[in-house]
Amino acid sequence: AISGFDITSFFEDQTGNIWITTVGAGVLKYNPETSTSKIYNQENSNLSSDVSFDMVEDKYGTVWVATAGGGINYMLNDSQFELSHEMLPNHPNMGGYRKKMFLDDEYLWVGTEGTGLYKMNLKDRSYIHFAPGNGKRSISSDVVKDIFKAEDGKLFIATDGEGLNIYDSATEDISIYNYQIEEKTALNSSALLCLWGDRTGNIWIGTYNGGLNIYKPNKTWFDYFSPSLLRSNELQHRSVLSIFQSENDEILIGTDGGGLNWLNKNNDDYLPPSFKHDPTDPTSIAGNVVKTIFKDSQNRLWIGLFGKGLDLYNSETKSFQHI
């Protein structure tokens, strides 16, 4: 019955039947145990269109079919379909050619090519509409290609030409991400076609003309601090031997030749002075190779130096007593 027609999706229901949606032949249900099949189309089962794109089965056992045109179809019994909503004039009506559905517990998300995104309550079939210019529910495009829910509960919405929309249901905020030519870690295409999540929480994004992009929510990023010849108020040496954090969130950094450096953790600025040995000043730090930094129970700061013994730092005078 579907020979010669384009196949748009496969779906396995709770009893093991394989459903096949097609462009022009309706929907085919195949029973792999009996090797028998049954066709559902406009003529024999009241399907709203024989051009079908996606299928899901909700937690209540209802089968839903997304077809071209307005609305989505649900199965009344094993033989007949019905449209989910009355087609009202001058109304978006979940209309569009290609559609994509995503089940989210009590809700069914429907992405369309032409009228945006819909979140439908499965119990009463009420829905809210997401579209460009629709106030707080404004997304970047009417053309939604795929929908996926991340492990943190945020909904990823792929659009064709206007990038990625991420919807946070807890705050109802929508963030939009697009291709940025100057940013290496941004999307390399705004035409997104499909989404999938792997077992480690990564989200894979298939694009048009941009290959495959991977969003890694658990990736650890590092800020990098290194010496600069242009700025004197930065780290004084590439080799770091010791690190200590004070009560006021300042970071003390002992280097292998650059003395003792002071970093303000709140704004990533190095604080003057960076302590280095001055042979003409007996109160300066005794050496520039700082092996260890320690604060005792009396809040005294001790500096252990390679080959130069031990210094006790006086925070009031910003001077060192050599031991």
Side-chain angles (χ1 to χ4, degrees):
I2 60 173
S3 177
F5 292 91
D6 289 339
I7 291 172
T8 51
S9 73
F10 293 88
F11 170 73
E12 182 178 3
D13 66 22
Q14 297 175 13
T15 59
N17 294 314
I18 306 297
W19 297 76
I20 304 170
T21 59
T22 73
V23 177
V27 179
L28 183 80
K29 181 175 73 172
Y30 173 69
N31 187 324
E33 291 188 358
T34 62
S35 297
T36 58
S37 60
K38 181 177 180 179
I39 194 77
Y40 298 86
N41 54 34
Q42 285 181 287
E43 184 178 352
N44 68 10
S45 60
N46 200 36
L47 199 65
S48 65
S49 171
D50 288 339
V51 178
S52 57
F53 290 100
D54 200 13
M55 288 192 68
V56 293
E57 182 180 13
D58 66 29
K59 61 191 294 185
Y60 304 108
T62 302
V63 172
W64 297 84
V65 180
T67 63
I72 50 175
N73 298 256
Y74 68 96
M75 182 168 275
L76 287 168
N77 45 54
D78 193 42
S79 61
Q80 294 294 305
F81 282 92
E82 187 171 299
L83 271 180
S84 59
H85 297 85
E86 181 185 359
M87 296 295 100
L88 302 173
N90 301 316
H91 196 273
N93 293 323
M94 294 191 187
Y97 181 67
R98 189 180 301 270
K99 297 176 186 175
K100 184 70 177 181
M101 296 187 292
F102 179 79
L103 278 170
D104 182 13
D105 194 32
E106 294 287 345
Y107 298 95
L108 176 62
W109 292 87
V110 182
T112 72
E113 288 189 0
T115 63
L117 177 70
Y118 302 81
K119 180 183 181 182
M120 187 185 76
N121 188 309
L122 290 171
K123 288 185 177 179
D124 61 13
R125 294 183 188 163
S126 62
Y127 63 83
I128 57 176
H129 183 207
F130 296 78
N134 194 17
K136 196 170 183 180
R137 300 190 183 108
S138 178
I139 57 176
S140 62
S141 174
D142 276 330
V143 182
V144 176
K145 300 294 288 187
D146 205 359
I147 310 158
F148 182 80
K149 190 174 185 179
E151 290 182 347
D152 62 4
K154 293 179 180 177
L155 198 76
F156 281 58
I157 305 155
T159 73
D160 189 359
E162 295 296 335
L164 178 68
N165 293 244
I166 299 180
Y167 174 66
D168 188 338
S169 59
T171 63
E172 296 189 344
D173 291 333
I174 299 174
S175 303
I176 300 172
Y177 300 89
N178 271 291
Y179 167 58
Q180 300 176 42
I181 191 171
E182 72 282 356
E183 180 56 62
K184 292 183 179 180
T185 60
L187 289 165
N188 70 347
S189 171
S190 289
L192 312 181
L193 304 180
C194 53
L195 303 166
W196 192 256
D198 64 25
R199 290 186 296 271
T200 63
N202 299 327
I203 297 178
W204 299 67
I205 306 170
T207 74
Y208 173 77
N209 208 31
L212 193 63
N213 289 229
I214 309 172
Y215 169 69
K216 298 184 176 183
N218 300 317
K219 184 176 178 62
T220 301
W221 295 98
F222 294 91
D223 289 325
Y224 177 54
F225 300 92
S226 64
S228 171
L229 297 176
L230 301 178
R231 294 183 294 272
S232 61
N233 63 333
E234 293 198 354
L235 190 64
Q236 298 296 303
H237 202 278
R238 292 181 62 88
S239 295
V240 174
L241 303 180
S242 53
I243 304 172
F244 176 83
Q245 182 175 358
S246 68
E247 290 83 357
N248 59 355
D249 274 347
E250 291 177 358
I251 308 295
L252 284 68
I253 302 168
T255 68
D256 188 8
L260 182 65
N261 291 214
W262 229 273
L263 173 67
N264 188 323
K265 179 175 175 288
N266 295 322
N267 56 18
D268 292 344
D269 287 336
Y270 284 89
L271 303 177
S274 290
F275 296 105
K276 285 188 176 181
H277 175 62
D278 181 356
T280 65
D281 183 2
T283 65
S284 71
I285 193 168
N288 290 326
V289 181
V290 180
K291 295 281 288 183
T292 185
I293 306 167
F294 175 75
K295 180 168 282 191
D296 65 22
S297 60
Q298 300 178 46
N299 288 324
R300 295 178 298 184
L301 194 66
W302 298 86
I303 312 298
L305 304 165
F306 176 73
K308 299 294 181 180
L310 181 68
D311 276 14
L312 177 62
Y313 176 66
N314 188 319
S315 60
E316 293 183 1
T317 62
K318 295 185 177 179
S319 62
F320 295 85
Q321 177 189 351
H322 185 55
I323 312 296

